[in-house]
Amino acid sequence: MAIKLFNSQTSMFCEKVRVVFALKTVPYEVVDVRADERKSLLEYTNQRKVPTLNYNGECVIDSTVISARLEKDHPQNSIYPEGANNKGLCLAIEDWSDEVLIHANHAMRRADTPEAKQKAEAEWDNHFKTLDQMYTGKKFLFDNKLTIADISIFSQLHYLYTAVKYDVPAQYKNVHAFLENMRQTLKLKSLGDSFDAPSL
Ligand SMILES: N[C@@H](CCC(=O)N[C@@H](CS)C(=O)NCC(=O)O)C(=O)O
């Protein structure tokens, strides 16, 4: 049996999962859902969301569930920090990033009037302030070790940069430093590239 990832190269949640696969060096096949307008995904799962995994015959949906499942079966290079307190905090930040930053990304992408753009910028500005404080003096959030919290945050910021084409304002120096750290960690030639390496 093989592992198949129903993937869209531009989806931030798919990028999150591709990074986890690479960290753990777990091989997988890619099904590009854009190639057949999600027909094979719909046939397999009766729903449209990616990332979806055919995990040796078992259907696993949602980037958080997929990441947790990969961690359970492939514990090498853990995506979580040490200790129950930090793990709980890490999961909460993963969820915040996936549910809250995505909202800001959608708002910015869909902003089609100056008022909507201003509102979306204000929403992101709040999040940049939070992120800039979170990354003060830190390469990564937990013990300077890359975790799923950093990966989730990066995938949203990366989408903002690549797909929404919005630059993080220069004043948020810690956010810029984090993006550069992640670019180097993921061995991306430029921040404009999407991540799809098989290992790290
Ligand atoms: N919470 C889900 C979100 C997945 C999601 O929203 N995927 C988007 C692509 S970024 C999608 O496939 N949307 C298509 C649709 O809803 O029809 C996760 O973490 O995987």
Side-chain angles (χ1 to χ4, degrees):
M1 285 266 193
I3 301 178
K4 279 189 193 163
L5 172 66
F6 290 86
N7 177 64
S8 164
Q9 201 59 25
T10 51
S11 155
M12 62 292 264
F13 296 108
C14 289
E15 181 167 70
K16 176 184 162 190
V17 160
R18 292 196 303 272
V19 172
V20 178
F21 268 109
L23 254 182
K24 297 187 169 293
T25 329
V26 172
Y28 62 99
E29 289 170 19
V30 168
V31 181
D32 177 5
V33 293
R34 289 171 306 177
D36 67 355
E37 292 170 343
R38 298 185 189 236
K39 200 164 164 264
S40 52
L41 174 66
L42 278 162
E43 267 165 21
Y44 178 53
T45 66
N46 212 22
Q47 60 87 52
R48 296 179 49 84
K49 289 222 164 155
V50 290
T52 288
L53 220 56
N54 179 337
Y55 189 70
N56 301 312
E58 184 190 340
C59 176
V60 188
I61 302 171
D62 191 285
S63 65
T64 299
V65 181
I66 293 170
S67 300
R69 183 55 186 274
L70 289 174
E71 172 79 12
K72 185 166 172 273
D73 292 355
H74 306 273
Q76 69 273 19
N77 293 329
S78 177
I79 56 171
Y80 302 120
E82 290 288 320
N85 303 97
N86 277 342
K87 182 168 178 194
L89 200 52
C90 178
L91 289 169
I93 294 170
E94 177 189 14
D95 197 50
W96 169 76
S97 178
D98 288 358
E99 301 299 327
V100 176
L101 297 186
I102 180 75
H103 182 273
N105 260 336
H106 285 327
M108 188 69 95
R109 184 146 204 200
R110 290 169 189 158
D112 55 1
T113 63
E115 294 75 30
K117 177 99 193 279
Q118 207 177 18
K119 208 169 156 221
E121 276 181 327
E123 189 175 339
W124 258 117
D125 220 44
N126 250 332
H127 299 319
F128 290 143
K129 279 187 192 126
T130 302
L131 288 165
D132 213 61
Q133 290 174 87
M134 279 161 80
Y135 282 102
T136 304
K138 284 189 172 189
K139 189 172 174 197
F140 300 119
L141 287 178
F142 296 95
D143 311 318
N144 277 339
K145 168 191 183 292
L146 176 66
T147 68
I148 196 69
D150 304 296
I151 297 167
S152 299
I153 289 168
F154 174 75
S155 60
Q156 297 297 334
L157 290 173
H158 200 203
Y159 182 85
L160 180 68
Y161 181 79
T162 54
V164 185
K165 309 226 176 288
Y166 186 81
D167 286 338
V168 178
Q171 79 222 55
Y172 299 113
K173 292 198 168 39
N174 299 324
V175 179
H176 276 278
F178 168 66
L179 282 172
E180 175 55 19
N181 281 335
M182 285 300 289
R183 187 195 66 71
Q184 287 179 23
T185 303
L186 301 181
K187 302 182 182 107
L188 297 173
K189 280 205 195 88
S190 106
L191 208 53
D193 297 345
S194 75
F195 179 84
D196 60 3
S199 64
L200 277 172

